[in-house]
Amino acid sequence: METILTLNNLTKRFGPITAVKDLSFTIEKGNVYGILGPNGSGKSTTLGIVLNVVNKTSGDFQWFEGNESTHNALKKVGAIIERPNFYPYMTAAQNLKLVCKIKDVSPDKIDEKLKIVGLLDRKNSKFRTFSLGMKQRLAIASALLNDPEILILDEPTNGLDPQGIHQIREIITKIAGLGTTILLASHLLDEVEKVCTHVVIIRKGEKLYSGRVDEMNASHGFFELKASDIIKLQELLKKHPSIGKIVPKENCLTAFLNEPMEPETLNTYLFEHGLVLSQLVKRKESLEEQFLQLTNQISA
Amino acid sequence: MLRLLAIEFHKLRFSRSAKILVTTYFILITFIALIASIEFSFGGATFRVADQGIFNFPYIWHFNSYVAATLKLFLAIVIVSMMSNEYSNRTLKQNLIDGMSKKEFVLSKFLTVIGFALLSTIFLFIVSLILGLSFSDYTEMSIIFSDMEYLLAYFIKLSGFFTFCMFLGVLVKRSAFALGFLFIWWILESIVNGLLRWKFFRGGETADNIVQFFPLESMAILVREPFSRLNAVQTAATQLGSEFSKDYGIHWYQLLIVIIWTAIFVYLSYALLKKRDL
């Protein structure tokens, strides 16, 4: 598989604060990656380093297997970080033309990309007259101008109203559908969960996890159980070898699995021991629960 | 190189304030011609400034490059704001993300600065040539094209000054503060200049030898004031019993000092940009 970006032990210190610590991961072509982390975890700094606007303290990174200088590699990248930055006195089309000049691509695609983000009718309006949502959409159009190998989005829905968020998400899903590699940094989990295949989780600049979203947690899921005799249920569960931690919650129990087990097997086991369940639900942790679990494990 | 110039031109082309300032600047240069129409009466006799020989070749090269250089502040504003606006609009960050290297960024600005200086020089050459041809007492080819080094000095002077402005724009990041800084720098140089001249090295040339290395002073002395060189002024001075013995010439080492400052400012802009996190 073609590698687009490799990070090796990347570290960034701002004075006494270490914003990014020994971070290593690889971005491969065709996947949609999410970088997850609470606010201030070093997501934007990491992206700033690979995008040539923040100087690294140590370690290194490589675009496209290191065959090109960073600034030339960036011509094949589309990126939006934090808020959209354009020249306020130029119109949308003029701003995009400038980007074409910098990226050394032909300006033919301006209209096409403006159409994707729904700004074609505003192409001759000055940038300073745009709302935040429109500015953000223009930024996406600008990032798409060179038909990038990878699209990097840093908190693309930050500060938008629900309608704006929805529009941006739709655009991202549309682009992901075309097979473009995407790297999406966010602290909004459902955003990542909806579009990403792979995820990198960082906290305080350290990597906690990187890999597929569905392989993120080694856990085999958990059962939510209810029965009239809750004490007997707890005793029976304790005896079962496949069940690990049991957490009582109001009038039901949450039993975490040590190894894979089907609900039928559990139901049969309990029934054979004379217990009838009133509720049996098998669930996997949502990304949010997994994320919280991961981040808490380290702090505990 | 053309790509970098095209990028910078695109940025300036749509900025209304930049357009107004640049146009004003060039119109003001042509207004040097208006000096020709100044007339005043002096004890019954009417003087016309144009008749006092200020538009004579080759003196006109000296005179015009000195007068035109005072207008450089207009372009200085454009240059300072074209640097600092990249910071305040955060477009510098976007330019780098879009695939411009920091080196290319500084180079595109520096090329524009040189472009402005070159354009001013060419423009001044044309204006002076026309004025000279209309008013000069001598119009022989060899006389017209003598003393052209004043134009070279004008070009070097503007390049140096504009590069200084560019550096201040990068350093201070806010156009108003950068212009303020320029002013403070000028005051500082004047104070040190004054101290050296009146306190430490009274008389003699030691003070001159030191201050010629200061950035603004080195640019200022490239083209010295031309007024005392006028025949009328010279005659008046002789009658009053004092003699001017001033060196109006352009010296290679003075040009070199300004060129070195220019190089230093370009390098410092780049080093600063490279070191900073955006």
Side-chain angles (χ1 to χ4, degrees):
Chain A
M1 192 167 259
E2 215 176 308
T3 307
I4 287 190
L5 174 66
T6 316
L7 272 70
N8 287 318
N9 304 94
L10 211 57
T11 300
K12 172 67 188 178
R13 272 189 281 275
F14 291 108
I17 298 148
T18 307
V20 178
K21 200 169 165 189
D22 253 346
L23 194 63
S24 309
F25 63 85
T26 313
I27 302 286
E28 265 152 12
K29 201 181 165 114
N31 297 329
V32 179
Y33 288 85
I35 300 187
L36 270 180
N39 288 331
S41 57
K43 299 184 299 276
S44 297
T45 310
T46 309
L47 292 181
I49 294 171
V50 299
L51 291 172
N52 206 13
V53 291
V54 176
N55 296 312
K56 63 189 184 204
T57 307
S58 64
D60 62 89
F61 62 92
Q62 271 185 352
W63 282 103
F64 306 110
E65 288 156 359
N67 298 323
E68 280 176 277
S69 64
T70 304
H71 76 272
N72 272 327
L74 288 182
K75 287 179 185 158
K76 296 197 267 173
V77 174
I80 303 163
I81 60 178
E82 290 153 12
R83 57 194 179 93
N85 306 315
F86 289 100
Y87 295 87
Y89 55 84
M90 287 190 214
T91 66
Q94 285 163 353
N95 266 305
L96 293 189
K97 225 173 259 168
L98 180 67
V99 176
C100 286
K101 282 201 170 106
I102 292 176
K103 287 194 184 274
D104 248 339
V105 294
S106 110
D108 305 342
K109 289 194 169 154
I110 290 177
D111 282 2
E112 174 197 327
K113 304 301 177 193
L114 279 174
K115 200 173 172 192
I116 293 183
V117 297
L119 281 176
L120 193 54
D121 52 334
R122 292 295 300 267
K123 83 182 248 202
N124 291 321
S125 309
K126 288 214 160 66
F127 177 69
R128 63 162 165 261
T129 65
F130 281 17
S131 71
L132 183 62
M134 290 161 76
K135 287 177 177 175
Q136 196 65 273
R137 279 185 283 149
L138 181 67
I140 294 183
S142 141
L144 292 175
L145 277 174
N146 52 344
D147 291 319
E149 305 247 358
I150 177 170
L151 184 64
I152 296 180
L153 302 159
D154 186 4
E155 311 268 0
T157 55
N158 233 5
L160 297 182
D161 57 16
Q163 206 182 1
I165 294 177
H166 183 72
Q167 278 173 331
I168 300 281
R169 277 198 194 145
E170 249 177 18
I171 294 168
I172 296 175
T173 324
K174 196 156 48 169
I175 297 160
L178 299 172
T180 310
T181 313
I182 294 180
L183 180 58
L184 174 72
S186 183
H187 62 272
L188 302 173
L189 293 137
D190 54 337
E191 199 163 282
V192 172
E193 197 170 23
K194 272 177 194 148
V195 286
C196 297
T197 55
H198 289 66
V199 66
V200 178
I201 295 181
I202 53 178
R203 205 184 60 123
K204 291 187 181 163
E206 279 180 282
K207 183 175 77 177
L208 301 182
Y209 174 83
S210 91
R212 296 191 64 86
V213 175
D214 43 19
E215 289 166 6
M216 187 166 130
N217 206 313
S219 105
H220 304 284
F222 58 88
F223 288 111
E224 275 175 8
L225 304 165
K226 236 188 232 178
S228 45
D229 190 351
I230 210 126
I231 297 154
K232 190 176 178 191
L233 172 64
Q234 197 163 358
E235 272 167 18
L236 284 173
L237 286 175
K238 267 184 194 154
K239 280 184 212 151
H240 197 284
S242 305
I243 300 225
K245 205 166 59 162
I246 301 160
V247 185
K249 203 169 23 171
E250 288 174 40
N251 56 349
C252 82
L253 287 178
T254 309
F256 291 88
L257 286 170
N258 285 332
E259 53 189 39
M261 180 166 64
E262 290 309 308
E264 290 129 43
T265 327
L266 182 70
N267 203 3
T268 319
Y269 162 78
L270 291 173
F271 193 72
E272 277 166 2
H273 288 79
L275 191 107
V276 183
L277 288 167
S278 57
Q279 185 188 329
L280 168 61
V281 182
K282 187 182 177 188
R283 280 184 50 201
K284 273 219 158 201
E285 288 93 336
S286 71
L287 192 57
E288 186 168 340
E289 283 159 326
Q290 293 182 43
F291 173 73
L292 289 175
Q293 237 175 38
L294 257 174
T295 42
N296 287 336
Q297 267 168 23
I298 310 296
S299 61
Chain B
M1 201 172 104
L2 271 180
R3 169 179 159 257
L4 296 180
L5 267 176
I7 289 172
E8 199 47 49
F9 179 63
H10 189 101
K11 289 179 190 170
L12 286 172
R13 187 155 66 122
F14 300 107
S15 163
R16 192 184 298 154
S17 47
K19 270 192 293 199
I20 293 174
L21 281 168
V22 172
T23 322
T24 315
Y25 171 75
F26 283 110
I27 290 175
L28 282 177
I29 291 184
T30 58
F31 277 10
I32 294 177
L34 287 182
I35 299 177
S37 62
I38 301 176
E39 281 182 5
F40 52 91
S41 298
F42 194 71
T46 317
F47 270 101
R48 234 180 100 194
V49 176
D51 294 336
Q52 297 308 305
I54 59 165
F55 293 142
N56 277 348
F57 288 118
Y59 176 74
I60 189 174
W61 298 126
H62 183 185
F63 182 81
N64 278 5
S65 39
Y66 181 81
V67 175
T70 57
L71 300 172
K72 60 184 187 291
L73 206 62
F74 282 89
L75 280 193
I77 297 171
V78 174
I79 287 157
V80 164
S81 50
M82 89 184 183
M83 295 309 292
S84 48
N85 282 349
E86 300 273 8
Y87 273 102
S88 42
N89 294 334
R90 318 226 302 167
T91 40
L92 166 58
K93 198 171 175 178
Q94 196 62 43
N95 283 176
L96 297 181
I97 292 170
D98 286 339
M100 221 177 178
S101 69
K102 290 181 174 174
K103 208 183 204 160
E104 280 178 334
F105 184 82
V106 173
L107 206 58
S108 85
K109 298 290 185 189
F110 178 61
L111 286 174
T112 312
V113 160
I114 296 296
F116 273 134
L118 196 64
L119 215 64
S120 307
T121 311
I122 294 170
F123 195 73
L124 183 69
F125 171 74
I126 295 168
V127 170
S128 306
L129 196 65
I130 294 171
L131 270 181
L133 287 176
S134 342
F135 291 102
S136 176
D137 299 336
Y138 330 98
T139 45
E140 290 86 8
M141 270 298 173
S142 59
I143 295 182
I144 292 179
F145 292 107
S146 58
D147 278 4
M148 294 287 281
E149 67 264 25
Y150 283 104
L151 282 185
L152 175 70
Y154 174 75
F155 171 69
I156 302 279
K157 175 180 173 151
L158 286 193
S159 306
F161 183 69
F162 292 157
T163 319
F164 187 39
C165 294
M166 170 179 114
F167 167 67
L168 288 183
V170 176
L171 181 72
V172 184
K173 302 188 212 170
R174 295 276 179 281
S175 37
F177 286 111
L179 287 169
F181 193 95
L182 179 67
F183 186 61
I184 290 170
W185 183 270
W186 177 72
I187 291 176
L188 276 179
E189 263 193 36
S190 311
I191 291 174
V192 177
N193 193 343
L195 281 179
L196 286 176
R197 212 171 285 272
W198 304 114
K199 195 100 187 146
F200 297 107
F201 305 104
R202 258 198 122 125
E205 289 181 351
T206 328
D208 280 337
N209 286 340
I210 296 175
V211 293
Q212 68 173 341
F213 288 106
F214 293 177
L216 285 179
E217 181 66 14
S218 69
M219 293 165 202
I221 60 175
L222 265 191
V223 181
R224 289 188 187 273
E225 55 83 24
F227 306 109
S228 54
R229 208 178 155 198
L230 272 172
N231 275 336
V233 180
Q234 291 275 10
T235 327
T238 326
Q239 277 166 359
L240 290 172
S242 78
E243 197 84 40
F244 286 114
S245 60
K246 215 167 167 179
D247 182 4
Y248 298 101
I250 311 270
H251 301 287
W252 65 269
Y253 57 86
Q254 290 177 338
L255 291 175
L256 188 68
I257 292 171
V258 178
I259 291 174
I260 290 174
W261 274 119
T262 311
I264 290 175
F265 289 135
V266 174
Y267 176 75
L268 284 181
S269 310
Y270 175 59
L272 205 60
L273 202 62
K274 206 169 160 185
K275 205 180 119 243
R276 268 189 195 150
D277 292 323
L278 295 165

